[in-house]
Amino acid sequence: SYELTQSPSVSVSPGQTASITCSGDKLGDKYACWYQQKPGQSPVLVIYQDRKRPSGIPERFSGSNSGNTATLTISGTQAMDEADYYCQAWDSSYVVFGGGTKLTVL
Amino acid sequence: QVQLVQSGAAVKKPGASVKVSCKASGYTFTDYSMHWVRQAPGQRLEWMGWINAGNVNTKYSQKFQGRVTITRDTSATTAYMELSSLRSEDTAVYYCARSSSSSGHSFDYWGQGTLVIVSS
C-alpha cells in the first residue's frame, strides 16, 4: 500500500520560514494537500492540489510537489501557526495521510 | 454555509457496534463524496473509507474492510459510518469530511468529530 512519510517535528523562530516535507513514491504524479490541526480541533485544509490555497487561508502558506516530495512552506511564521500538519494524497481511489509533523514556533 | 454536524459521543463495550451520523447542509449533498477519518488519542489521522453520495459507490481502507460500513440517506442529507466488532483500540475521535474530484480529493470541510470510547 502507498505510504507518505513526514518528519515528526519541525521548529522555527517567529518570522522565519518553516518547511514541512512529505515524501512518497512518485508523489509528484499525484495531487498533494495539507491540513493544519490544532489541539482539540478538527483539521483545516490549508493547501490543495499541490499549491492552491482555500479561501481564508493566509498567503504565507504555500505548497509545491515534485518528484517524490511535497513541501508545505510557511513564510513569516507566526505563533498561531504552531500546530500539527498532515499531508494527504489520493492513490487509486484510496486516501493516504502522512504521519503528521508537529510545528513548534519558539 | 457548508456545515457537517456529527452525532454525539458514544461509549460502547468491546464486541459491540457504533453508528455515527454526519448531517450535511449548505450544499448539494449528491455533488460530493463523504469520507470518514479517525484519530486515536495522540495519534495520526487515519482514513477509513468514503462514499460517493451521488451514486452510492463506496471504498474502504483495507484495514477496516469487513468491519466498516458507510451509507447515506439523500433525503436526510446525512452520511453514516458503522463500525462493528469494536475493541479498545477503536477508541478515537471519528470525523466525516467532504471532498470532490475537482479539488483533487482534498477535504475542504470537516465535521466537529465524534468521540467513541470502547471500554468494558
Side-chain angles (χ1 to χ4, degrees):
Chain A
S1 61
Y2 194 75
E3 293 185 0
L4 295 175
T5 301
Q6 297 180 241
S7 298
S9 63
V10 168
S11 297
V12 64
S13 300
Q16 298 305 301
T17 296
S19 294
I20 299 172
T21 60
C22 173
S23 61
D25 185 50
K26 298 180 181 178
L27 180 55
D29 291 344
K30 312 177 194 298
Y31 276 135
C33 58
W34 293 88
Y35 303 91
Q36 176 194 70
Q37 187 181 34
K38 296 181 179 180
Q41 298 183 16
S42 301
V44 172
L45 180 67
V46 295
I47 293 290
Y48 70 100
Q49 288 184 333
D50 297 337
R51 59 182 65 249
K52 296 180 180 179
R53 274 181 296 106
S55 173
I57 299 302
E59 290 185 7
R60 64 180 181 273
F61 288 87
S62 63
S64 64
N65 185 17
S66 179
N68 294 324
T69 304
T71 302
L72 172 68
T73 302
I74 309 172
S75 304
T77 307
Q78 300 182 9
M80 68 173 65
D81 300 329
E82 185 164 288
D84 293 328
Y85 290 85
Y86 293 90
C87 60
Q88 178 236 306
W90 173 266
D91 178 61
S92 303
S93 300
Y94 293 89
V95 170
V96 181
F97 284 104
T101 297
K102 182 175 183 59
L103 177 67
T104 301
V105 182
L106 38 68
Chain B
Q1 72 284 20
V2 175
Q3 282 192 308
L4 301 177
V5 179
Q6 299 183 220
S7 48
V11 179
K12 297 291 182 180
K13 293 193 181 303
S17 297
V18 66
K19 191 170 186 177
V20 181
S21 66
C22 173
K23 167 72 174 174
S25 61
Y27 70 97
T28 302
F29 183 68
T30 51
D31 284 350
Y32 292 81
S33 298
M34 196 72 79
H35 295 246
W36 289 89
V37 177
R38 79 175 188 181
Q39 188 171 39
Q43 300 301 308
R44 62 190 286 175
L45 298 173
E46 186 172 32
W47 179 74
M48 301 180 69
W50 66 285
I51 186 166
N52 181 318
N55 63 21
V56 88
N57 286 344
T58 56
K59 190 76 77 172
Y60 302 125
S61 165
Q62 289 186 339
K63 176 174 179 175
F64 300 100
Q65 190 80 39
R67 281 212 302 146
V68 68
T69 303
I70 298 174
T71 57
R72 63 57 167 141
D73 179 341
T74 55
S75 63
T77 64
T78 299
Y80 304 91
M81 185 283 300
E82 184 170 21
L83 187 63
S84 62
S85 303
L86 291 169
R87 34 207 187 231
S88 59
E89 309 89 89
D90 294 319
T91 293
V93 175
Y94 290 77
Y95 296 100
C96 60
R98 184 187 86 158
S99 83
S100 73
S101 57
S102 63
S103 67
H105 303 285
S106 60
F107 303 152
D108 57 354
Y109 287 91
W110 294 66
Q112 83 276 21
T114 296
L115 175 62
V116 175
I117 297 173
V118 182
S119 174
S120 54

